[in-house]
Amino acid sequence: MVRVDPRHTSTDCHACGHRQDMPLDVREFACGGCGLVTDRDVNAARNILQRGIALAGWDIGSLGRPGASESVLEPHVAGLPGQDAERYAAD
Ligand SMILES: [Zn+2]
């Protein structure tokens, strides 16, 4: 287990590092730095993963780095945005 600093994990862009203040009720992360648009929780999860990888000192090539191939991580997050959309639609 690796403990990571959770501060700004949902407000820092996992792709470019741009930080933007967002009220908690805004669930979509739309980066003002690079234009990335993704689910807020998915962005936070990727930041946590990147911090954990950095703290662990793993040498895993480009995985977890900004601009890394999304395909490596996709199986772990596939379906999340769609599930959220369905949940919100049912509310
Ligand atoms: Zn960005």
Side-chain angles (χ1 to χ4, degrees):
M1 184 179 84
V2 176
R3 294 181 187 274
V4 302
D5 184 349
R7 287 177 291 183
H8 305 293
T9 49
S10 67
T11 56
D12 287 356
C13 177
H14 81 269
C16 76
H18 174 77
R19 179 173 296 163
Q20 54 192 32
D21 289 330
M22 299 169 51
L24 278 176
D25 65 329
V26 175
R27 306 311 304 165
E28 181 180 83
F29 185 90
C31 182
C34 70
L36 172 76
V37 178
T38 188
D39 180 84
R40 181 187 186 128
D41 294 334
V42 170
N43 181 62
R46 288 178 184 259
N47 277 323
I48 292 167
L49 174 64
Q50 289 172 5
R51 291 180 188 187
I53 288 170
L55 284 171
W58 292 349
D59 181 11
I60 50 176
S62 63
L63 176 63
R65 290 188 191 152
S69 169
E70 300 291 320
S71 63
V72 178
L73 298 174
E74 209 55 46
H76 303 289
V77 298
L80 283 177
Q83 289 169 355
D84 286 349
E86 290 174 11
R87 188 181 76 227
Y88 293 146
D91 288 344

